Amino acid sequence: MTASAPPTTSGPEQDLCTSCGMCCDGTLFTFVEVAEDELSAVQQIFTLHAGAKGPVFHQPCTYNREHTCMVYNDRPQTCRAYRCKTLLALDAGEIALPEAARRVAETLGAKQAVEGHLECGETLNAARERRAIAATDQERSKTQLAFILKLTALDLMLDRYFRKRGKTMLS
Ligand code: SF4
Ligand code: SF4
């Protein structure tokens, strides 16, 4: 997760996000960048790791519980700033809340379909690596094919509704 816009604080946007949580639970991101000027505060509550551009903490975030941030008032700047494509469209008045909620519900359904194919403790990111290997396996089973198709359907939905231009699976 990288910063891109002002914070989400209240109202329909917050209702949407608390029904979703996909920018916190490892569906969209594998890590969250931490700004240098908040390092000392953030490392009080997160285990930080070296990232390509600086310190990060890993996703799924341990403070995401049932789509809700348990450290909301102390969440890092990147979290405060982040808005997915659907939230930006809602902010801009390009779509109404029912359409935003439909996108979230539909994508959560696609995610749930993938979860039945995950190995014990496997993250979606690890599953994406497994998909890349299975995709080249000429002797893959029907179960593996179903896993590939469902995960790809989820990623296409994430591209369409959540990931920004230049950040999509196909870009
Ligand atoms: S992915 Fe978008 S709608 Fe979902 S919680 Fe994050 S900002 Fe909110
Ligand atoms: S700190 Fe809160 S907003 Fe940030 S990734 Fe974790 S659960 Fe999400």
Side-chain angles (χ1 to χ4, degrees):
M1 184 193 287
T2 54
S4 64
T8 299
T9 51
S10 61
E13 294 176 351
Q14 195 169 39
D15 291 344
L16 183 74
C17 290
T18 53
S19 73
C20 174
M22 287 187 283
C23 57
C24 302
D25 67 4
T27 305
L28 280 163
F29 299 102
T30 56
F31 62 85
V32 177
E33 292 174 346
V34 178
E36 290 292 336
D37 63 359
E38 62 175 357
L39 259 186
S40 59
V42 173
Q43 65 192 2
Q44 304 285 319
I45 49 177
F46 286 97
T47 302
L48 299 183
H49 305 268
K53 296 182 189 168
V56 301
F57 63 87
H58 289 162
Q59 286 206 7
C61 179
T62 51
Y63 294 108
N64 174 53
R65 307 271 164 78
E66 297 179 3
H67 312 153
T68 300
C69 177
M70 304 307 288
V71 290
Y72 189 78
N73 291 331
D74 298 316
R75 68 200 192 286
Q77 292 169 28
T78 303
C79 302
R80 292 174 188 272
Y82 180 73
R83 277 169 154 75
C84 67
K85 198 153 65 177
T86 285
L87 197 54
L88 286 170
L90 183 65
D91 283 350
E94 294 164 6
I95 60 169
L97 185 59
E99 167 59 14
R102 184 197 66 75
R103 294 179 181 187
V104 166
E106 197 177 320
T107 310
L108 285 174
K111 183 181 167 213
Q112 198 170 21
V114 171
E115 281 166 354
H117 290 271
L118 296 182
E119 295 173 351
C120 184
E122 187 178 43
T123 63
L124 277 175
N125 201 46
R128 288 179 177 113
E129 291 174 14
R130 182 160 61 88
R131 173 181 59 188
I133 295 167
T136 60
D137 182 354
Q138 299 297 319
E139 305 199 345
R140 62 180 170 259
S141 65
K142 285 184 180 172
T143 304
Q144 282 179 307
L145 183 59
F147 157 67
I148 291 169
L149 292 175
K150 286 178 182 173
L151 182 51
T152 302
L154 170 63
D155 271 325
L156 289 172
M157 216 172 277
L158 292 170
D159 283 359
R160 184 172 183 192
Y161 294 140
F162 296 90
R163 295 181 180 127
K164 291 164 193 163
R165 194 186 298 271
K167 302 277 185 186
T168 61
M169 179 178 68
L170 301 177
S171 61

